[in-house]
Amino acid sequence: MRVRDWQDILEDVVESDADPAGWRAAGGDRANGIGEDLYFGHPAVGVFHVKTYARNPYEVQGVGAEVARKIDDDLDPLFPAEPGEGGMFGVRQPVDDEDEAEAAASELEEVVQAHADAPTTPDALFEDVMDTLDSPAYGPMEYDQYGRPDRVDDLADTFEEAEQLLDSELDDLIDENVDRGFQ
């Protein structure tokens, strides 16, 4: 297992050629220390684990690794199959320029108007928005911004060695970047 910057892991997710709607995720607070744990999984791509912390309101730092090459029968129940209470997530690359942003906004406006004019479901709206924005990864997610869902604990137990290594790497990163006291 190779530990890398968390943004490199997200880049792997974005650049995969997998079905964008096949991704699932679970996340929440770290068990020990500041920051968050997030697991992304896709049956054809694998399972990725990232640990992050907000250094300040404008900068997130973290580490991650690929922890499995596929979601097998043992891992499948550890990821949500439906949106549930945690909702949905989507990953998107930033637009390159103002023209692309305006075109995307125009297309998005049409999608929202179409859903406003016809009977629809929240899931259908979300999927159409993700398709319009060319999201390379989206799907159901169980996430708790104030705690740690049981799924995240179960994934951490399943990938115990990776959990310990990534915790250590993130703690080192935090210690390098956090000043204690006044200067």
Side-chain angles (χ1 to χ4, degrees):
M1 178 179 64
R2 194 176 80 178
V3 176
R4 300 182 290 153
D5 184 81
W6 74 283
Q7 291 178 334
D8 293 340
I9 299 298
L10 288 182
E11 195 170 306
D12 287 351
V13 169
V14 167
E15 291 178 356
S16 74
D17 290 331
D19 171 30
W23 289 90
R24 298 181 286 162
D29 286 344
R30 280 181 63 205
N32 302 311
I34 62 171
E36 298 177 317
D37 280 328
L38 185 59
Y39 290 87
F40 292 98
H42 191 286
V45 180
V47 177
F48 300 90
H49 182 190
V50 296
K51 288 183 175 283
T52 60
Y53 84 101
R55 182 171 180 199
N56 61 52
Y58 305 102
E59 184 180 359
V60 174
Q61 295 183 335
V63 294
E66 180 178 8
V67 294
R69 293 184 184 180
K70 67 177 185 169
I71 295 180
D72 59 18
D73 292 339
D74 293 334
L75 295 177
D76 189 57
L78 301 179
F79 287 95
E82 299 295 324
E85 290 180 23
M88 302 285 282
F89 79 97
V91 177
R92 173 74 168 106
Q93 289 281 56
V95 293
D96 292 330
D97 57 34
E98 190 175 326
D99 291 338
E100 186 179 342
E102 287 177 7
S106 177
E107 289 177 42
L108 190 56
E109 184 178 4
E110 290 175 23
V111 166
V112 171
Q113 187 61 49
H115 280 270
D117 293 342
T120 191
T121 65
D123 291 342
L125 173 62
F126 181 81
E127 186 154 334
D128 286 348
V129 167
M130 292 294 102
D131 286 342
T132 300
L133 295 175
D134 264 345
S135 175
Y138 62 91
M141 176 179 201
E142 183 173 342
Y143 182 79
D144 186 344
Q145 64 183 352
Y146 301 110
R148 189 171 171 90
D150 291 339
R151 285 182 198 273
V152 176
D153 283 331
D154 294 342
L155 285 159
D157 290 344
T158 301
F159 301 109
E160 188 174 351
E161 185 178 313
E163 174 77 15
Q164 291 172 354
L165 179 59
L166 290 172
D167 260 342
S168 174
E169 292 287 330
L170 185 63
D171 287 340
D172 289 347
L173 184 65
I174 291 169
D175 286 344
E176 288 175 12
N177 294 312
V178 176
D179 293 326
R180 304 234 188 310
F182 296 98
Q183 294 187 6

